[in-house]
PDB file of all heavy atoms in Angstrom:
ATOM      1  N   ILE A  29      -0.137  24.220 -21.348  1.00 87.00           N
ATOM      2  CA  ILE A  29       0.187  22.798 -21.492  1.00 87.00           C
ATOM      3  C   ILE A  29      -0.745  21.889 -20.679  1.00 87.00           C
ATOM      4  O   ILE A  29      -0.675  20.677 -20.799  1.00 87.00           O
ATOM      5  CB  ILE A  29       1.666  22.495 -21.163  1.00 87.00           C
ATOM      6  CG1 ILE A  29       1.959  22.674 -19.687  1.00 87.00           C
ATOM      7  CG2 ILE A  29       2.607  23.284 -22.017  1.00 87.00           C
ATOM      8  CD1 ILE A  29       3.290  22.104 -19.274  1.00 87.00           C
ATOM      9  N   LEU A  32      -2.615  19.190 -22.457  1.00 89.00           N
ATOM     10  CA  LEU A  32      -1.890  18.011 -22.922  1.00 89.00           C
ATOM     11  C   LEU A  32      -2.118  16.802 -22.011  1.00 89.00           C
ATOM     12  O   LEU A  32      -1.811  15.677 -22.384  1.00 89.00           O
ATOM     13  CB  LEU A  32      -0.383  18.298 -22.999  1.00 89.00           C
ATOM     14  CG  LEU A  32       0.045  19.412 -23.947  1.00 89.00           C
ATOM     15  CD1 LEU A  32       1.538  19.658 -23.828  1.00 89.00           C
ATOM     16  CD2 LEU A  32      -0.346  19.080 -25.378  1.00 89.00           C
ATOM     17  N   LEU A  52       8.835  -0.994  -3.803  1.00 95.00           N
ATOM     18  CA  LEU A  52       9.568   0.275  -3.883  1.00 95.00           C
ATOM     19  C   LEU A  52      10.001   0.705  -2.477  1.00 95.00           C
ATOM     20  O   LEU A  52      11.147   1.115  -2.282  1.00 95.00           O
ATOM     21  CB  LEU A  52       8.692   1.360  -4.520  1.00 95.00           C
ATOM     22  CG  LEU A  52       9.262   2.772  -4.574  1.00 95.00           C
ATOM     23  CD1 LEU A  52      10.488   2.835  -5.471  1.00 95.00           C
ATOM     24  CD2 LEU A  52       8.191   3.751  -5.051  1.00 95.00           C
ATOM     25  N   GLY A  61      21.347  -0.394  11.923  1.00 88.00           N
ATOM     26  CA  GLY A  61      22.112  -1.253  12.814  1.00 88.00           C
ATOM     27  C   GLY A  61      21.497  -2.619  13.035  1.00 88.00           C
ATOM     28  O   GLY A  61      21.820  -3.287  13.999  1.00 88.00           O
ATOM     29  N   PRO A  64      18.669  -7.136   8.163  1.00 96.00           N
ATOM     30  CA  PRO A  64      17.395  -7.132   7.421  1.00 96.00           C
ATOM     31  C   PRO A  64      16.675  -8.481   7.451  1.00 96.00           C
ATOM     32  O   PRO A  64      15.486  -8.546   7.166  1.00 96.00           O
ATOM     33  CB  PRO A  64      17.804  -6.784   5.988  1.00 96.00           C
ATOM     34  CG  PRO A  64      19.213  -6.345   6.041  1.00 96.00           C
ATOM     35  CD  PRO A  64      19.798  -6.792   7.329  1.00 96.00           C
ATOM     36  N   ASN A  65      17.393  -9.543   7.802  1.00 96.00           N
ATOM     37  CA  ASN A  65      16.791 -10.878   7.840  1.00 96.00           C
ATOM     38  C   ASN A  65      16.235 -11.244   9.207  1.00 96.00           C
ATOM     39  O   ASN A  65      15.872 -12.402   9.447  1.00 96.00           O
ATOM     40  CB  ASN A  65      17.822 -11.931   7.394  1.00 96.00           C
ATOM     41  CG  ASN A  65      18.237 -11.694   5.959  1.00 96.00           C
ATOM     42  OD1 ASN A  65      17.418 -11.385   5.105  1.00 96.00           O
ATOM     43  ND2 ASN A  65      19.529 -11.810   5.700  1.00 96.00           N
ATOM     44  N   GLU A  66      16.162 -10.269  10.115  1.00 95.00           N
ATOM     45  CA  GLU A  66      15.545 -10.522  11.425  1.00 95.00           C
ATOM     46  C   GLU A  66      14.126 -11.051  11.203  1.00 95.00           C
ATOM     47  O   GLU A  66      13.390 -10.534  10.352  1.00 95.00           O
ATOM     48  CB  GLU A  66      15.452  -9.220  12.232  1.00 95.00           C
ATOM     49  CG  GLU A  66      16.747  -8.717  12.776  1.00 95.00           C
ATOM     50  CD  GLU A  66      17.154  -9.396  14.074  1.00 95.00           C
ATOM     51  OE1 GLU A  66      16.307 -10.067  14.705  1.00 95.00           O
ATOM     52  OE2 GLU A  66      18.328  -9.256  14.433  1.00 95.00           O
ATOM     53  N   GLU A  70      10.918  -9.805   8.562  1.00 97.00           N
ATOM     54  CA  GLU A  70      10.277 -10.668   7.565  1.00 97.00           C
ATOM     55  C   GLU A  70       8.762 -10.725   7.797  1.00 97.00           C
ATOM     56  O   GLU A  70       7.976 -10.640   6.851  1.00 97.00           O
ATOM     57  CB  GLU A  70      10.904 -12.059   7.592  1.00 97.00           C
ATOM     58  CG  GLU A  70      12.335 -12.049   7.082  1.00 97.00           C
ATOM     59  CD  GLU A  70      13.040 -13.396   7.207  1.00 97.00           C
ATOM     60  OE1 GLU A  70      12.399 -14.399   7.616  1.00 97.00           O
ATOM     61  OE2 GLU A  70      14.240 -13.444   6.884  1.00 97.00           O
ATOM     62  N   MET A  71       8.361 -10.840   9.072  1.00 98.00           N
ATOM     63  CA  MET A  71       6.923 -10.826   9.396  1.00 98.00           C
ATOM     64  C   MET A  71       6.304  -9.489   9.013  1.00 98.00           C
ATOM     65  O   MET A  71       5.208  -9.435   8.447  1.00 98.00           O
ATOM     66  CB  MET A  71       6.702 -11.083  10.900  1.00 98.00           C
ATOM     67  CG  MET A  71       7.007 -12.488  11.354  1.00 98.00           C
ATOM     68  SD  MET A  71       6.550 -12.807  13.092  1.00 98.00           S
ATOM     69  CE  MET A  71       7.589 -11.708  14.012  1.00 98.00           C
ATOM     70  N   LEU A  86      -2.634   4.159   5.354  1.00 93.00           N
ATOM     71  CA  LEU A  86      -2.594   4.580   6.758  1.00 93.00           C
ATOM     72  C   LEU A  86      -1.212   4.330   7.353  1.00 93.00           C
ATOM     73  O   LEU A  86      -0.731   5.118   8.172  1.00 93.00           O
ATOM     74  CB  LEU A  86      -3.658   3.841   7.576  1.00 93.00           C
ATOM     75  CG  LEU A  86      -5.100   4.274   7.359  1.00 93.00           C
ATOM     76  CD1 LEU A  86      -6.053   3.349   8.111  1.00 93.00           C
ATOM     77  CD2 LEU A  86      -5.308   5.718   7.781  1.00 93.00           C
ATOM     78  N   ASP A 118       8.674  -7.025  27.746  1.00 93.00           N
ATOM     79  CA  ASP A 118       7.290  -7.138  27.249  1.00 93.00           C
ATOM     80  C   ASP A 118       7.114  -6.572  25.842  1.00 93.00           C
ATOM     81  O   ASP A 118       6.207  -5.785  25.580  1.00 93.00           O
ATOM     82  CB  ASP A 118       6.312  -6.454  28.209  1.00 93.00           C
ATOM     83  CG  ASP A 118       6.225  -7.151  29.545  1.00 93.00           C
ATOM     84  OD1 ASP A 118       6.387  -8.392  29.572  1.00 93.00           O
ATOM     85  OD2 ASP A 118       5.981  -6.463  30.552  1.00 93.00           O
ATOM     86  N   LEU A 133      10.320   3.704  11.518  1.00 97.00           N
ATOM     87  CA  LEU A 133       9.459   2.832  12.316  1.00 97.00           C
ATOM     88  C   LEU A 133      10.342   2.024  13.255  1.00 97.00           C
ATOM     89  O   LEU A 133      11.313   1.398  12.826  1.00 97.00           O
ATOM     90  CB  LEU A 133       8.656   1.878  11.422  1.00 97.00           C
ATOM     91  CG  LEU A 133       7.730   0.912  12.158  1.00 97.00           C
ATOM     92  CD1 LEU A 133       6.566   1.668  12.808  1.00 97.00           C
ATOM     93  CD2 LEU A 133       7.200  -0.149  11.214  1.00 97.00           C
ATOM     94  N   LEU A 144       2.126  -8.993  15.881  1.00 97.00           N
ATOM     95  CA  LEU A 144       2.649  -7.860  15.116  1.00 97.00           C
ATOM     96  C   LEU A 144       1.537  -7.201  14.292  1.00 97.00           C
ATOM     97  O   LEU A 144       1.386  -5.978  14.297  1.00 97.00           O
ATOM     98  CB  LEU A 144       3.789  -8.314  14.200  1.00 97.00           C
ATOM     99  CG  LEU A 144       4.623  -7.222  13.553  1.00 97.00           C
ATOM    100  CD1 LEU A 144       5.990  -7.764  13.154  1.00 97.00           C
ATOM    101  CD2 LEU A 144       3.979  -6.560  12.376  1.00 97.00           C
TER     102      LEU A 144
END
Side-chain angles (χ1 to χ4, degrees):
I29 69 167
L32 299 175
L52 175 65
N65 297 319
E66 287 278 345
E70 291 175 5
M71 290 187 297
L86 287 173
D118 294 328
L133 180 69
L144 192 157

